[in-house]
Amino acid sequence: MRNPDLTQLREAVRTEIARAFKAAGFARPRDIARQVCAAHPENISALGGRLAEDALTDLARRELKHNTQQRESPSQMGLPGVPEALAIQLPPAISI
């Protein structure tokens, strides 16, 4: 499903490009962006919210990845009847 705000902005960009080429024979991307932003503030606001949410999602994903890597993983599960000093010397995984 397409984002209607993005669809309208894409069409506005195309319209501004055509207008710029008709008037000056060329178009500058920054000028096009400024014109579209000025003409469609409600769409820009909605898109800005989505971009911020996407950026924060990426930030959260990186922080979660970094945070889980820092946590100490248990070196060995509790083995009843095995002294802790001996359990520390056992390999991290035992297959039976």
Side-chain angles (χ1 to χ4, degrees):
M1 179 192 240
R2 289 203 147 168
N3 183 335
D5 293 311
L6 191 56
T7 301
Q8 289 177 355
L9 290 172
R10 185 178 289 116
E11 188 57 38
V13 166
R14 290 176 182 149
T15 301
E16 285 300 323
I17 289 171
R19 188 175 299 150
F21 271 99
K22 186 175 181 180
F26 64 94
R28 291 188 179 110
R30 181 66 66 183
D31 293 339
I32 298 298
R34 286 183 182 141
Q35 290 292 337
V36 172
C37 287
H40 301 277
E42 66 285 345
N43 297 94
I44 296 301
S45 178
L47 182 63
R50 178 60 192 253
L51 290 173
E53 183 181 320
D54 290 347
L56 290 172
T57 300
D58 290 341
L59 177 64
R61 187 176 294 117
R62 284 192 305 272
E63 287 299 317
L64 283 168
K65 184 178 180 181
H66 180 69
N67 191 19
T68 55
Q69 288 175 349
Q70 284 184 344
R71 290 186 185 161
E72 292 182 25
S73 60
S75 61
Q76 188 63 265
M77 65 182 250
L79 298 172
V82 176
E84 188 175 337
L86 181 58
I88 291 173
Q89 296 176 10
L90 293 174
I94 298 176
S95 299
I96 300 177

